[in-house]
């Protein structure tokens, strides 16, 4: 989504998480309506992130069936293949096709 005509709104971290929940995006990921693509990954530092040894820090793109990115998020993938921290991806960009807006995490 790089169309300059699409409105952009900035949300707090909590606002992004609330939108993620309201739009039931985790369910779309779990049911494979959105496909996760690893954009970048590295081993996470357990001392800094509080996750188990051999956990990956991953930058994820979640795309719809047409190949358009709907969510850009961070997640920790633990060695047992479950998502660490909150148990769900931490979104920092969401294209909401309900209202046609790109939501981005506000700068800290």
């Amino acid at each position: 989504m790089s169309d300059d005509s699409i409105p952009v709104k900035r949300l707090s971290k909590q606002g992004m998480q609330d939108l993620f929940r309201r739009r039931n995006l985790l369910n779309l990921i779990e049911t494979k309506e959105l496909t996760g693509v690893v954009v970048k990954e590295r081993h996470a530092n357990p001392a800094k992130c509080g996750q188990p040894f051999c956990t990956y820090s991953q930058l994820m793109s979640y795309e719809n069936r047409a190949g358009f990115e709907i969510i850009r998020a961070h997640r920790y993938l633990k060695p047992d293949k479950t998502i660490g921290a909150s148990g769900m991806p931490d979104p920092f960009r969401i294209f909401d096709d309900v209202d046609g807006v790109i939501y981005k995490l506000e700068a800290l």
Side-chain angles (χ1 to χ4, degrees), residues 34-92:
L34 297 178
T35 303
V37 177
V38 178
V39 175
K40 187 176 180 180
E41 73 178 355
R42 64 178 173 78
H43 274 105
N45 181 336
K48 290 185 178 180
C49 68
Q51 300 300 307
F53 178 75
C54 217
T55 294
Y56 281 96
S57 172
Q58 297 180 317
L59 176 63
M60 300 293 298
S61 173
Y62 294 96
E63 301 173 351
N64 65 15
R65 291 187 177 157
F68 292 108
E69 183 178 76
I70 303 300
I71 307 164
R72 181 66 63 108
H74 174 266
R75 73 177 187 183
Y76 289 111
L77 186 65
K78 299 191 304 187
D80 66 2
K81 304 300 183 205
T82 60
I83 299 175
S86 69
M88 62 184 207
D90 194 13
F92 57 88

Side-chain angles (χ1 to χ4, degrees):
M1 297 278 137
S2 61
D3 187 348
D4 292 335
S5 66
I6 298 174
V8 174
K9 291 186 181 177
R10 300 272 178 185
L11 295 177
S12 67
K13 184 174 182 173
Q14 184 63 51
M16 290 294 283
Q17 291 168 343
D18 291 345
L19 179 63
F20 188 84
R21 285 185 192 94
R22 270 196 324 273
R23 294 292 190 245
N24 206 20
L25 296 174
L26 185 58
N27 183 59
L28 295 180
I29 293 168
E30 290 172 343
T31 60
K32 309 286 191 235
E33 292 292 316
L34 297 178
T35 303
V37 177
V38 178
V39 175
K40 187 176 180 180
E41 73 178 355
R42 64 178 173 78
H43 274 105
N45 181 336
K48 290 185 178 180
C49 68
Q51 300 300 307
F53 178 75
C54 217
T55 294
Y56 281 96
S57 172
Q58 297 180 317
L59 176 63
M60 300 293 298
S61 173
Y62 294 96
E63 301 173 351
N64 65 15
R65 291 187 177 157
F68 292 108
E69 183 178 76
I70 303 300
I71 307 164
R72 181 66 63 108
H74 174 266
R75 73 177 187 183
Y76 289 111
L77 186 65
K78 299 191 304 187
D80 66 2
K81 304 300 183 205
T82 60
I83 299 175
S86 69
M88 62 184 207
D90 194 13
F92 57 88
R93 185 171 58 220
I94 297 173
F95 172 68
D96 190 342
D97 57 358
V98 173
D99 57 10
V101 172
I102 296 174
Y103 292 93
K104 292 185 177 182
L105 187 63
E106 64 188 7
L108 299 177

